[in-house]
Amino acid sequence: MSTRNPSYTNPKSCKHLADYKLRHRLNGFNSLQEHLKTTPAGKSSVSQSQTKIPRCGFCDGYRERLYLCLICSSVSCSSHTLLHSQSENGHDIAVDVERSELYCVLCCDQVYDPDFDRTVMLKHIMDLPPNRSGVADEEGAVRRSSKRRRLVSGLEFDSKKSKQMVSMRDRRAKSCYPWGLRGLNNLGSTCFMNSVLQALLHAPPFRNYFLSDQHNHEVCRKRSSDRLCLPCDIDVIFSAVFSGDRLPYSPAQFLYSWWQHSTNLASYEQQDAHEFFISVLDGIHEKEGKARSPSIDNGDCQCIAHRVFSGLLRSDVTCMCCGFTSTTYDPCIDISVNLDTPNCSPTGLANKSVKPNENTGISTLVGCLDLFTKPEKLGSDQKFFCENCQERQDSVKQMSIKRLPSVLCLHIKRFEHSPARKMSRKIDRYLQFPFGLDMNPYLSSSVVRNRFGNRIFAFEGDDLDTSAEYEIFAVVTHSGMLDSGHYVTYLRLTNQWYKCDDAWITEVDEGVVRASQCYMLFYVQKTLYYKANEDLSCQPISSRRDPFVPIAGCC
Amino acid sequence: MSLPNDDNMSPHAQLSSHFFGDLLDSVIADVASECHRIARLGLDRNLDEEEEELRLSAQARAMVADSSNSGETTSKYVVDIFGQTHPPVATEIFDCMNCGRSIVAGRFAPHLEKCMGKGRKARLKVTRSSTAAQNRYSRGSPSSTYSYSNSTSMNRLSNGAPGVAGEEYSNGSFEEL
Ligand SMILES: [Zn+2]
Ligand SMILES: [Zn+2]
Ligand SMILES: [Zn+2]
Ligand SMILES: [Zn+2]
Ligand SMILES: [Zn+2]
Ligand SMILES: [Zn+2]
Ligand SMILES: [Zn+2]
């Protein structure tokens, strides 16, 4: 298993670079620093003189790649660098003038050094408008990440506690299937609700919270005169579903109170699973968030909906004239992505242009996420007022994820809306999604680092305490047309997939899931996923050892 | 980079072709340098894993396409994992929380809609407009949950291209059962 961290370990430098640093320390880097120039777009180069074009000291050429000797500052072209190091003993390390990258003449290779990158970045930050470089403005990030750490351990605690609670609740169960599998009756076109409930019921940290009785409906009803409590209704469903009873359950009470809660919603027939999901979390937040922390905004809300699902998005708008960056943060409960168009996949950033789907021509979730975090030039109609230039300028906007949630819900916008014709249409295109999802490339730290040429530098918020590796556990699919269709959820429990089609729970091959028409994808942090599997599989579920007896032979 | 026919070109054309060649060289060197850095620092994506996932998905699609041709997947369920079978309309009976009448589970939602006065006529087309959809999320309260849509799509919308406005799925699964 490869776990790639967004921040790298320092690369091993070649012997020559190591020798150079031993002898000259940072002198060469430091004296180079004042000659470094950066463009607002983030590219660095070396410019020794305003007027003179650098030329090779041997052949006077200026069109080839030029290198500046770090010891004597003489310039040689790529063909003559070796000659220089041969004539001047020990002059082995040079700088690529146009790219400000280190080059070892003897290894004939570009080499990397943290001190050098630091030199470049510091100069870059100095050159950018004060305090708003979009690089290092983060006191909050530190505070937040420590809060986050507490939060994560809190969830782990839940999980332990829930294990006991779960086994108590399950005494009646004689199931040979993972726990909490129970069909939900369709109450009349309510598959939008059932599909989302199934995903919520099996979202590990969310499930742990309710199974460990942290919102017990009996306790809550005694305490509060307010009879409308959505978390209570969810708790009731949890009890029912984890009771071991196998007859499909009718979430009628839940529908009733959700409906009361969502007074401004249209008829249930028009209901969209994603909107339902949002409104349920909203309902939980309204009840729990206010009780716990009335004054805090969504980003730090400690209600169970936000603790599990809430992430933080970062949006950078950079002035194309001076490089000033305006950064804003927005909490989010899920991420809605546009279907990427195959065949015109985004290019540009070197590490993002190598996309495997380029020739196969299918849409991929990774492609959608690339699109989501791609820098986008803002149109002339929405010019950004640059505080530094004090005027409206062309700008580039880029989204990234500042903080990932424990459970990541991705919503695929399968709609095409034509305002002209006042028509909506469903895009029935297949979207490939991975079971294991690496969100590292979309983290703010990765995105910002990439914007600044991937220098080895402590970019703000290199959140090391949260993992960006996710595993899928639920897929909500939609089949049929825009106004008549059917929602079905696939659940992954102890690495087996189950199809939850209202009352019907069946076992399916993972291929069926991979080929399905996904509408909402639920991923959980890898560590929580494995923990959840342990929780489920070590339950005293039945007298049988094998939890996966084939259907016919089961009980 | 030297382009062919240097000699046949006017000095001006020669100059611009040289300039273009230099520029191209420089861009190539930029990309090469950038990729080299990414690879050396281990920042490149795990393409092997991504490719494996793609391969599995392609395989799965081919398999599903095959089996649906032979008419397998469209068949109705016989039993669920517990060996149970279920009627197309859920027959469980309970009392409506609103009016107390006994209702069959499978007809509960349409009943409730009428019972709570959310009749079909109450369905306002206005709620499907983009502003309504947004108000629904934000509800004007700063503490409220909301779903994030990349504003990119908003931009596209204002450019007259497909966007997010008022999109929703609806379901009429009942007919399908
Ligand atoms: Zn030369
Ligand atoms: Zn030298
Ligand atoms: Zn070397
Ligand atoms: Zn309650
Ligand atoms: Zn909350
Ligand atoms: Zn500016
Ligand atoms: Zn009623």
Side-chain angles (χ1 to χ4, degrees):
Chain A
M1 189 183 5
S2 77
T3 37
R4 280 161 311 118
N5 217 294
S7 64
Y8 25 51
T9 44
N10 290 339
K12 238 184 101 197
S13 69
C14 75
K15 180 180 163 295
H16 317 107
L17 176 58
D19 281 353
Y20 165 81
K21 282 185 74 182
L22 252 170
R23 275 184 288 133
H24 300 272
R25 298 175 186 268
L26 303 181
N27 295 338
F29 298 169
N30 290 340
S31 53
L32 185 76
Q33 194 174 43
E34 59 178 300
H35 300 295
L36 290 172
K37 272 226 156 134
T38 50
T39 64
K43 194 184 158 183
S44 300
S45 58
V46 183
S47 128
Q48 281 199 294
S49 143
Q50 305 277 34
T51 48
K52 266 201 330 211
I53 304 165
R55 284 168 187 268
C56 172
F58 293 90
C59 65
D60 206 33
Y62 61 93
R63 291 171 51 195
E64 283 208 50
R65 211 162 165 170
L66 294 177
Y67 296 91
L68 179 89
C69 174
L70 266 181
I71 296 171
C72 69
S73 295
S74 68
V75 175
S76 324
C77 71
S78 40
S79 339
H80 294 119
T81 44
L82 193 59
L83 207 61
H84 176 68
S85 90
Q86 279 163 350
S87 57
E88 303 286 337
N89 194 29
H91 291 207
D92 305 332
I93 305 297
V95 176
D96 183 330
V97 169
E98 258 185 89
R99 290 158 201 92
S100 57
E101 290 280 11
L102 288 178
Y103 182 78
C104 173
V105 173
L106 297 179
C107 298
C108 293
D109 200 5
Q110 197 160 293
V111 288
Y112 304 96
D113 180 76
D115 292 320
F116 178 75
D117 278 3
R118 225 178 95 78
T119 309
V120 175
M121 274 312 295
L122 287 178
K123 172 68 163 124
H124 198 153
I125 292 167
M126 265 156 32
D127 285 355
L128 283 170
N131 296 333
R132 289 303 189 91
S133 54
V135 193
D137 57 341
E138 294 294 298
E139 257 178 88
V142 184
R143 265 187 285 124
R144 239 186 224 113
S145 69
S146 64
K147 188 168 273 165
R148 178 82 187 163
R149 210 171 289 128
R150 258 185 282 132
L151 199 154
V152 167
S153 56
L155 291 173
E156 280 168 21
F157 174 66
D158 293 0
S159 138
K160 255 183 228 140
K161 213 163 123 195
S162 77
K163 211 184 272 182
Q164 302 165 352
M165 294 310 300
V166 155
S167 55
M168 278 167 64
R169 286 196 187 194
D170 190 47
R171 254 174 304 178
R172 291 194 296 139
K174 288 250 180 342
S175 169
C176 29
Y177 292 97
W179 246 40
L181 266 182
R182 188 172 178 185
L184 299 173
N185 277 326
N186 190 313
L187 306 177
S189 302
T190 56
C191 56
F192 71 87
M193 171 176 79
N194 290 350
S195 60
V196 169
L197 283 179
Q198 289 288 11
L200 285 175
L201 285 167
H202 293 93
F206 192 76
R207 185 202 64 182
N208 292 346
Y209 176 83
F210 283 97
L211 290 185
S212 60
D213 266 345
Q214 295 188 52
H215 192 115
N216 182 297
H217 60 276
E218 282 154 22
V219 176
C220 182
R221 295 244 152 102
K222 263 179 229 156
R223 203 169 39 202
S224 155
S225 55
D226 185 3
R227 293 180 60 222
L228 211 65
C229 178
L230 209 62
C232 274
D233 295 308
I234 292 173
D235 187 54
V236 170
I237 302 179
F238 267 102
S239 301
V241 157
F242 284 82
S243 69
D245 198 334
R246 293 160 174 190
L247 282 171
Y249 174 75
S250 300
Q253 175 65 45
F254 179 82
L255 179 69
Y256 175 64
S257 55
W258 167 73
W259 218 329
Q260 284 181 305
H261 168 79
S262 324
T263 42
N264 55 346
L265 280 175
S267 151
Y268 72 96
E269 278 193 337
Q270 300 293 323
Q271 200 51 57
D272 167 76
H274 175 244
E275 273 184 31
F276 172 76
F277 170 74
I278 299 298
S279 77
V280 168
L281 294 187
D282 207 7
I284 296 171
H285 168 79
E286 231 163 70
K287 192 76 190 176
E288 290 227 312
K290 281 180 186 147
R292 280 164 197 251
S293 45
S295 61
I296 307 177
D297 70 343
N298 280 358
D300 285 318
C301 177
Q302 289 297 301
C303 83
I304 188 61
H306 282 115
R307 266 164 67 195
V308 173
F309 291 98
S310 146
L312 197 64
L313 291 174
R314 168 174 169 160
S315 156
D316 289 339
V317 179
T318 303
C319 171
M320 281 167 74
C321 189
C322 71
F324 174 88
T325 297
S326 154
T327 301
T328 49
Y329 295 97
D330 285 304
C332 65
I333 205 87
D334 70 346
I335 296 174
S336 292
V337 293
N338 290 303
L339 267 175
D340 79 324
T341 329
N343 306 326
C344 68
S345 49
T347 47
L349 299 172
N351 67 333
K352 294 200 169 175
S353 60
V354 227
K355 288 210 307 160
N357 70 327
E358 264 169 0
N359 30 23
T360 55
I362 60 163
S363 296
T364 65
L365 181 67
V366 168
C368 294
L369 289 167
D370 284 345
L371 201 65
F372 183 77
T373 51
K374 201 181 122 179
E376 179 204 8
K377 205 179 153 188
L378 292 182
S380 48
D381 53 327
Q382 43 192 158
K383 275 198 175 179
F384 149 82
F385 182 82
C386 173
E387 280 175 47
N388 188 54
C389 302
Q390 284 294 310
E391 58 180 304
R392 297 205 170 272
Q393 297 285 14
D394 284 331
S395 58
V396 173
K397 178 182 166 164
Q398 189 170 27
M399 298 297 306
S400 57
I401 302 168
K402 175 67 194 159
R403 192 185 65 221
L404 284 160
S406 321
V407 175
L408 177 67
C409 171
L410 295 167
H411 163 234
I412 317 300
K413 294 187 199 157
R414 288 194 172 274
F415 304 93
E416 228 152 44
H417 184 73
S418 158
R421 281 178 292 156
K422 297 209 160 121
M423 266 172 53
S424 292
R425 164 175 100 80
K426 184 185 167 194
I427 311 168
D428 244 331
R429 204 189 313 136
Y430 171 73
L431 177 82
Q432 185 271 343
F433 56 93
F435 283 8
L437 177 64
D438 180 6
M439 291 297 286
N440 274 316
Y442 316 110
L443 287 175
S444 301
S445 46
S446 311
V447 167
V448 173
R449 169 182 299 123
N450 189 285
R451 198 186 302 151
F452 289 95
N454 289 310
R455 298 287 169 181
I456 308 170
F457 184 75
F459 286 92
E460 45 97 356
D462 278 355
D463 268 326
L464 300 173
D465 53 336
T466 52
S467 158
E469 308 252 347
Y470 284 80
E471 281 292 322
I472 201 161
F473 71 91
V475 180
V476 173
T477 66
H478 183 264
S479 57
M481 314 309 291
L482 183 68
D483 45 8
S484 73
H486 188 46
Y487 287 106
V488 163
T489 296
Y490 293 101
L491 278 182
R492 188 196 201 187
L493 299 172
T494 54
N495 223 23
Q496 166 66 46
W497 284 96
Y498 298 91
K499 181 180 184 182
C500 307
D501 182 355
D502 292 328
W504 295 87
I505 309 266
T506 48
E507 227 175 69
V508 290
D509 189 81
E510 69 159 65
V512 174
V513 182
R514 286 192 189 273
S516 69
Q517 194 82 294
C518 61
Y519 178 53
M520 291 169 81
L521 297 163
F522 291 84
Y523 288 89
V524 63
Q525 276 181 353
K526 212 168 192 162
T527 45
L528 294 175
Y529 174 78
Y530 288 114
K531 208 187 292 289
N533 273 353
E534 269 172 41
D535 289 358
L536 283 180
S537 54
C538 66
Q539 295 304 326
I541 295 176
S542 69
S543 46
R544 300 193 192 217
R545 308 238 48 188
D546 183 5
F548 300 120
V549 184
I551 298 166
C554 172
C555 311
Chain B
M1 179 191 239
S2 70
L3 295 175
N5 302 329
D6 258 13
D7 307 333
N8 307 341
M9 285 194 278
S10 70
H12 183 77
Q14 265 187 40
L15 195 70
S16 64
S17 100
H18 277 277
F19 178 73
F20 177 72
D22 289 351
L23 203 66
L24 193 64
D25 281 350
S26 167
V27 169
I28 291 169
D30 282 350
V31 173
S33 161
E34 205 182 325
C35 291
H36 188 276
R37 174 176 273 273
I38 285 163
R40 279 296 157 83
L41 300 187
L43 293 173
D44 47 347
R45 298 177 119 156
N46 197 335
L47 289 179
D48 287 352
E49 257 171 44
E50 274 180 30
E51 253 161 58
E52 176 65 6
E53 293 266 13
L54 271 167
R55 196 186 60 76
L56 288 171
S57 296
Q59 212 175 44
R61 293 183 77 204
M63 186 195 75
V64 168
D66 261 15
S67 62
S68 65
N69 285 341
S70 61
E72 218 180 293
T73 49
T74 47
S75 67
K76 297 266 185 245
Y77 310 112
V78 183
V79 285
D80 70 4
I81 49 165
F82 309 115
Q84 307 171 125
T85 140
H86 309 289
V89 176
T91 50
E92 191 191 337
I93 291 173
F94 46 77
D95 294 343
C96 172
M97 305 84 199
N98 205 43
C99 67
R101 258 178 276 176
S102 292
I103 306 292
V104 169
R107 310 253 183 251
F108 179 66
H111 163 82
L112 197 60
E113 190 177 38
K114 280 195 218 98
C115 189
M116 290 174 66
K118 294 201 179 195
R120 272 147 221 261
K121 280 167 203 145
R123 194 190 308 152
L124 295 173
K125 275 279 175 251
V126 194
T127 58
R128 313 196 76 190
S129 78
S130 72
T131 41
Q134 275 179 3
N135 292 341
R136 205 175 303 165
Y137 292 146
S138 55
R139 299 237 175 103
S141 132
S143 63
S144 174
T145 308
Y146 68 92
S147 161
Y148 184 80
S149 283
N150 192 348
S151 64
T152 307
S153 58
M154 303 295 190
N155 302 337
R156 301 246 162 79
L157 185 70
S158 63
N159 294 340
V164 286
E167 309 154 330
E168 9 184 301
Y169 276 145
S170 317
N171 57 320
S173 58
F174 208 51
E175 295 83 46
E176 283 214 335
L177 285 171

